[in-house]
Structures are given as structure tokens and as C-alpha cells.
Amino acid sequence: MCGIIGYWNQEKDACPIIIESLKKLEYRGYDSFGFAIVLNNKLSVERKTGKVSSTEYQNFPGVIGIGHTRWATHGKITENNAHPHRDCFMKIAVVHNGIIENYQEIKNQLSKKGHNFLSETDTEVIPHLIEENIRNGLDFKEAVMDVCPLLQGRNSFIALSSDQEMIAFRNGSPLILGVKKNNKIPEIFIASDIQGFLDETRDVIYLDDNQIAIIKENLEFYDINTKKRIEKRLIRLDIDLKEAEKGSYPHFMLKEIMEQKKALRRAINQDDKNLMHLAREINEAKGIFFIGCGTAAKVCHIAEYIFSKIANKHVNFVQASEFENYNHFLIPETLVIAISQSGETADVLESLEIAKKRKSKIISITNTKQSSLDKISDYTFFINAGIEKAVASTKATTSQLIVVLLLAYACAGRLEEGKRILIDLIGKVNDMLNPRYELHIKKLAEKIYQEENIFIIGRGINYPLSLESAIKIMEVSYIHAQGFAGGELKHGPIALIKKDSPVIVLMSNDESKKEIISNAIEVKSRGAYVIGVSPENNPIFDYWIKTPNVEAETSPIVNLIPIQLLAYYLGILKGCDVDYPRSLAKSVTVK
Ligand code: F6R
């Protein structure tokens, strides 16, 4: 949540560079933005509500600055609450990502000392704490280093002084430095994501928790706990820039749906030895938990069914935000498998910190190398889906499913066969994602986009998929959508079904076919408009979306793709900002 950027050089104007970075980081939060530029010992600050890509702002001269694109946590969406925040003398500006859990306490203490607060945010305590330390005789570096340990929760920030010194601190939320050396004096970027500077450089330094980077004449790193200087390694990233662009597609979401053809192939390309080794660990573990949030949690839920079907193994699925109710079960022999596209989701990371303390083993499935999740895990599977920019996850979801399936096949001693099944499935996905198919789904969207509610039902493995389908439709089109287990409908929710209520029936070629058709008949009897998503047609369907005929355990991949397209077209027809749905952010780094 929130995108932060710092830029330091000695000749180029910082403002346009910071603005470009903020546009790239916008997917992390986009309700307001702001920046601070330093020139001649004076900080100039601009703050605006709205998205940086569609709002007017003023430019300031100066070669050093910081910027922020906000996802509001503490305080309404106003210019006053937008970052950067400053101290009483307007000499220190701070951009921040995270939540300072003890900010109220700090704010009360500082107010008693006469500090004047202008916003409702937690962030504003940071510049005032730094100011207080400077008043007490510390220099800027010492003042910032003293503040870092006081902030409870997951917090990363960049502080800029009017003396042209910039300090970045990481604890919990990512901060990455980009170094561009075209001449002797480098340009330095600090961002919450490499996308903030990928156009400029791929030479990066990953800041770890409780480390700070200081940029003045040189670039220096310190460990906050020891207060000692440390050395950090420069890494050259191998990333295709085109991945971060829309190309000829109107939206990232559509591009990423279409990219599934290639992404799934990359996901399947895992190291067999590691798969077999970890499959053994899964088979020997005492208790296995799959944890994740949102869509990734739904993949975890589907994993329960996949492991049951393929490997005859019971695994537990828990939403990471609820994991604290289960973590007393963790012992060293327990295995926690975390799924997260970003690798930065706060609830997942906090759960894993507990697992680590209890010495349980951690395996992760993520899209992001060097993410906090990667760092905390004993072993990481990278899905290699490529950059996923649209807030609604599509290609990462199906790629995560591929890795879960590979693990389940490996546990069952059927890895080679499983890979053949998946390669065959990917071929079918290729055939499926064609313009005619897209048009067929678009036509359905045209029929139902004015509805207030969409119901999705599924049995067996299609039940958790119905929940994921509902997330996709809701977040992109703002139509209320809800997924149900087919058998549960008549225990309450069927009361909502009336004439023309759209009910999507997810069906696979498995033993639950007859029963889900009975459930479809039940809703049809109450006037529902029944949409079948299945390999076979059925007279009960008013509209049929054909899916490839695949093994039931792999069917969530092919059943989900048409729903992703439907969500996309519903969003377009409703005039929604499909890549940046309201109130959402791609990377949820706060609890
Ligand atoms: C919905 C969506 C979110 C994420 C969730 C977890 O389309 O993308 O529900 O799945 O915020 O994010 P990651 O996977 O980064 O942990």
C-alpha cells in the first residue's frame, strides 16, 4: 500500500522524474499524491487528491526530492492528509508506507511538547520526532536513527532534510534502491517497488528490515540495531521492460489475462529435484497449512481440494488474517505454505514471523524475487508470471494454481504424468483465449452488466473457485457478486433469487455434475438466468460458456479464465477503472 519514491542526483530536475515514478507506483494506492523538492535549503511541497496521472500539479526546480502516492489508512482523503508531511519548521519532509501502531501515544507526547500537527495521519509524527531529536542536539542522521526503533508496526519511510540529506528506513514494507551510473556522479532512486525506476536502471540494492540508506555526498548503509555501517550488494536485474507496459492492449487486466498462455508455461518450469524434495517434506510434515489473502487465499482454498484429489492428503487452508487463531498448532514439524503474488502482504508476513518463531518450516509460492516473503521462507517457488500490474490478479492466480498442482502431483509420486496433464491443459488455454471466445463473453456481459447481484455456484473444487469468481467480478465491476457451494444455496441464499437473477454455474467433468445441475434447476425454478461455465452444454443453461474438457483437479484454471474476462467486460461496460478499482491497492502492506 502506498508508493514511495526518493530521487537524488546533481544535475537533472527531480520533479518530472518523481512524477513518472509515481505514475508507475500508482497501482499501490491512488487516492492522493504529493512530493517535496529541495533547493537552496528550502523544501517545496505539492499535495493533491486524485491520481497523479490525471491531476494538475505544480513543478518545482531542484535535483533532489521525494514523492508519495497514497492509499489512505489514517485520515480521510484530503490534501492535508496526503504526503509528504513536515515538522514544525518545514525543514524535514517525510513519505511513509505502513501504519505506526503507537502513533497516538507519540502524537500526545509531542503535542505536550508544543508540536503542531496539521493532519490526521500517523505519518506526521515522524518528521516531528526527527525535529525533536535535532532540537536535542542530534544531527539529521542520528535523529532519524533514533526515531526508527520507536515506530511500532511495519513501517518504511524516506525523510528529506532542507540540507539536501535523504534517509530511507525499511521495516516490514519493501524499499529498493536503484543506482544509475552514466557518469561519475550516480543518480539514486529509492522506491517501494522496482517499477518506480525500472525505466532508468536495473542495478538495484535491496534494503533489508532495520536498515537505513543515507544519501548525501555518498551512499551509505547502516544497521539500526547495531548503529554500525554495513556494506550492501548491487544486483543487476534481468527484467523485460515490455512487461511493465500495456502495449497494444487497452488495459493491463486484459493484457495479463491474455498473457496466461505464456505465463502458465513459465510456471510449470520448476526444478524437479526441488519439487520432489519438498513433496517429501509435505508428505512427512505434521500439519500443513496453506495461507494467503484475497485471491491468493482462494488459491489456498482450492489447494485443499487439489491435495485431497491428487495426493489423498489433507491440508488446511487458512486466510492469513485469521491465522493467529491457528498458530498455536504450529510445531517444528509443521509446514506452512504461503501464497502471495507480491510477497509483501502484511497478514501473510506476520503469520510467517510467528511460524518462524515456532520453528515451523516455510515454503512460499510468489511472483516476486527478493520480496519479504522470499526472504523469510526456507524455500521459494517463483511462479514467473512476469509483472502483474492490474490490481485484480489474473495470470498470477492461475500460475499459482500450476505450482500447487505440481506439488500435489509430486506428493502423489505422479510428477511426470502431472506435467504432461498440465502441458496439455496449457495448449487448451491457448486455443481458448481467442477473439471469438472473448466476444462470446462480452455478449454475456452486455446482457447482465446492469444487474445488482450476480450469484456463482459450484460444488467440490468449483466451490472455492466460485468465491474467487465473486472477488474478481466485485472488485472490477462493483456489482455485488457472491459465491456459494451449490448445496448451500437452499439453506438461505436462495431467498435472494428472483426473476432474471444471473446465476453462474461452474461445472467440471467430475462426480458433482448431476448435483450441481440439480442446484441449477432449483434456481431456474425461481426465475434465475442460468449461465453455465462447463465443458458440456445442458438444456438448463440460458447461456453457455464452453470450457476445455480437462481433469477435474486442473479445471479451476480453465473455469476461471472466462470469469476473469467476464469481470473485465462487466467493468468496462460499467465505466469502471478496471486496472485501478476504487479503494484497492495491488500490494497490501498494512494489516
Ligand atoms: C484480487 C487480488 C487480491 C490479492 C490479495 C493478496 O484480485 O489481487 O485479493 O490476491 O491482496 O495479494 P498477494 O497475492 O500479493 O499477497
Side-chain angles (χ1 to χ4, degrees):
M1 316 235 106
C2 299
I4 60 183
I5 173 78
Y7 177 67
W8 186 99
N9 88 123
Q10 291 196 353
E11 49 189 41
K12 289 190 205 162
D13 259 351
C15 212
I17 292 169
I18 287 172
I19 292 294
E20 274 318 299
S21 288
L22 289 181
K23 285 181 188 165
K24 299 271 159 49
L25 294 171
E26 206 163 47
Y27 72 95
R28 299 180 68 90
Y30 33 84
D31 54 46
S32 51
F33 67 95
F35 50 87
I37 306 290
V38 60
L39 182 70
N40 300 332
N41 292 72
K42 185 174 171 285
L43 288 169
S44 303
V45 170
E46 174 75 318
R47 298 183 298 176
K48 291 278 176 187
T49 56
K51 282 168 79 171
V52 66
S53 45
S54 50
T55 310
E56 300 265 309
Y57 52 85
Q58 51 170 325
N59 261 295
F60 303 116
V63 294
I64 299 169
I66 54 177
H68 186 271
T69 177
R70 181 170 186 241
W71 188 88
T73 58
H74 291 56
K76 289 183 284 295
I77 302 163
T78 61
E79 279 182 13
N80 253 354
N81 288 332
H83 300 211
H85 292 286
R86 281 164 292 176
D87 66 313
C88 294
F89 301 102
M90 307 287 169
K91 296 258 174 216
I92 301 157
V94 170
V95 289
H96 165 231
N97 177 19
I99 292 179
I100 304 168
E101 287 165 6
N102 56 335
Y103 86 101
Q104 199 59 59
E105 215 177 298
I106 299 174
K107 194 167 174 173
N108 292 344
Q109 285 164 8
L110 288 168
S111 298
K112 277 188 202 141
K113 290 182 180 161
H115 288 262
N116 189 17
F117 288 90
L118 305 174
S119 79
E120 302 159 309
T121 66
D122 51 340
T123 306
E124 203 182 357
V125 299
I126 303 175
H128 287 274
L129 279 170
I130 300 172
E131 172 199 338
E132 186 64 22
N133 283 346
I134 291 174
R135 280 202 221 177
N136 290 332
L138 301 187
D139 64 22
F140 187 56
K141 177 180 106 188
E142 293 163 340
V144 173
M145 281 174 104
D146 253 39
V147 167
C148 299
L150 303 180
L151 309 175
Q152 286 172 11
R154 318 179 79 81
N155 292 288
S156 292
F157 68 80
I158 310 174
L160 176 65
S161 81
S162 56
D163 294 334
Q164 310 212 341
E165 189 167 4
M166 190 185 290
I167 303 187
F169 166 64
R170 173 191 162 137
N171 183 27
S173 311
L175 269 187
I176 305 145
L177 284 93
V179 181
K180 186 174 174 184
K181 276 189 187 155
N182 282 344
N183 45 35
K184 274 197 189 135
I185 300 155
E187 285 171 66
I188 297 176
F189 303 81
I190 312 171
S192 15
D193 191 315
I194 48 167
Q195 291 182 50
F197 53 72
L198 210 53
D199 285 350
E200 301 280 351
T201 179
R202 284 171 227 182
D203 288 336
V204 304
I205 299 170
Y206 287 93
L207 214 54
D208 290 321
D209 281 347
N210 290 311
Q211 294 180 345
I212 60 168
I214 304 180
I215 312 159
K216 204 172 180 187
E217 274 90 36
N218 322 310
L219 176 59
E220 291 179 353
F221 298 93
Y222 286 81
D223 181 307
I224 282 296
N225 297 326
T226 61
K227 302 218 162 146
K228 292 218 170 96
R229 207 172 147 182
I230 49 171
E231 293 302 319
K232 299 282 301 176
R233 215 157 46 93
L234 191 72
I235 300 171
R236 173 150 297 175
L237 296 176
D238 177 20
I239 286 185
D240 181 1
L241 265 186
K242 277 197 223 114
E243 280 179 7
E245 302 301 332
K246 278 199 281 251
S248 55
Y249 287 96
H251 298 97
F252 281 110
M253 184 175 176
L254 187 60
K255 174 181 177 246
E256 288 158 10
I257 293 173
M258 294 303 167
E259 275 175 356
Q260 288 177 104
K261 300 174 191 172
K262 285 190 190 148
L264 298 185
R265 252 178 236 290
R266 289 197 298 264
I268 216 172
N269 206 2
Q270 303 289 338
D271 184 296
D272 283 2
K273 263 203 213 128
N274 285 330
L275 278 168
M276 291 309 295
H277 172 70
L278 290 159
R280 264 194 304 280
E281 300 236 355
I282 294 174
N283 283 334
E284 283 162 15
K286 292 205 171 79
I288 299 151
F289 289 96
F290 272 84
I291 64 164
C293 291
T295 285
K298 300 301 172 270
V299 173
C300 295
H301 198 167
I302 296 170
E304 252 188 8
Y305 288 78
I306 288 178
F307 270 80
S308 159
K309 267 183 182 290
I310 297 178
N312 194 24
K313 189 151 207 64
H314 174 69
V315 301
N316 301 284
F317 133 73
V318 185
Q319 287 163 8
S321 55
E322 289 296 317
F323 195 57
E324 62 185 343
N325 299 298
Y326 297 81
N327 61 32
H328 56 281
F329 294 122
L330 296 176
I331 55 172
E333 292 77 23
T334 314
L335 196 59
V336 182
I337 305 180
I339 304 185
S340 166
Q341 188 284 130
S342 62
E344 298 296 348
T345 300
D347 283 313
V348 174
L349 295 175
E350 291 210 355
S351 302
L352 296 182
E353 277 154 19
I354 294 162
K356 195 107 204 161
K357 277 194 196 125
R358 290 180 159 262
K359 301 199 167 28
S360 301
K361 193 142 203 172
I362 300 168
I363 298 178
S364 59
I365 300 175
T366 182
N367 201 22
T368 317
K369 295 204 168 112
Q370 296 278 346
S371 56
S372 307
L373 178 57
D374 177 22
K375 287 181 184 161
I376 200 172
S377 302
D378 295 294
Y379 184 80
T380 307
F381 286 102
F382 293 105
I383 56 172
N384 301 318
I387 294 173
E388 189 180 67
K389 283 202 104 169
V391 166
S393 179
T394 53
K395 62 175 179 173
T397 312
T398 47
S399 301
Q400 288 160 355
L401 282 167
I402 291 275
V403 176
V404 169
L405 281 158
L406 284 172
L407 273 172
Y409 283 123
C411 282
R414 293 171 52 203
L415 182 57
E416 281 313 309
E417 182 200 343
K419 281 205 290 196
R420 277 197 300 278
I421 293 173
L422 291 175
I423 288 167
D424 180 53
L425 171 128
I426 294 167
K428 290 177 173 157
V429 167
N430 247 312
D431 299 341
M432 183 183 184
L433 282 169
N434 64 54
R436 215 156 28 95
Y437 197 70
E438 214 184 312
L439 192 68
H440 183 60
I441 291 170
K442 193 172 167 210
K443 275 198 188 132
L444 173 64
E446 281 161 2
K447 165 126 189 83
I448 62 174
Y449 80 98
Q450 280 165 324
E451 293 294 331
E452 280 180 10
N453 299 296
I454 295 178
F455 304 87
I456 307 115
I457 58 171
R459 280 181 172 259
I461 204 159
N462 281 309
Y463 161 52
L465 192 68
S466 74
L467 305 178
E468 164 53 13
S469 305
I471 296 190
K472 228 44 351 135
I473 294 173
M474 275 190 286
E475 67 181 331
V476 180
S477 70
Y478 311 153
I479 299 173
H480 170 248
Q482 216 166 339
F484 298 98
E488 275 297 294
L489 214 63
K490 53 186 153 305
H491 298 284
I494 204 162
L496 296 172
I497 305 290
K498 49 186 195 204
K499 189 169 173 333
D500 290 333
S501 300
V503 178
I504 299 174
V505 180
L506 301 173
M507 206 166 107
S508 305
N509 227 340
D510 65 7
E511 58 288 350
S512 68
K513 259 194 313 193
K514 270 199 194 134
E515 282 159 346
I516 195 72
I517 289 295
S518 300
N519 299 137
I521 295 171
E522 287 157 11
V523 291
K524 180 92 170 204
S525 312
R526 282 148 186 92
Y529 181 74
V530 177
I531 301 147
V533 175
S534 62
E536 294 163 15
N537 202 350
N538 189 289
I540 202 73
F541 299 153
D542 295 297
Y543 203 96
W544 178 45
I545 299 175
K546 187 176 179 349
T547 54
N549 194 358
V550 297
E551 314 274 328
E553 59 262 26
T554 61
S555 63
I557 296 177
V558 294
N559 284 1
L560 180 56
I561 291 173
I563 303 293
Q564 295 171 343
L565 280 167
L566 179 64
Y568 172 76
Y569 280 110
L570 287 171
I572 295 293
L573 288 162
K574 298 270 297 188
C576 303
D577 194 349
V578 289
D579 282 341
Y580 301 105
R582 69 178 172 224
S583 303
L584 294 179
K586 183 77 184 154
S587 183
V588 184
T589 54
V590 294
K591 281 191 70 170

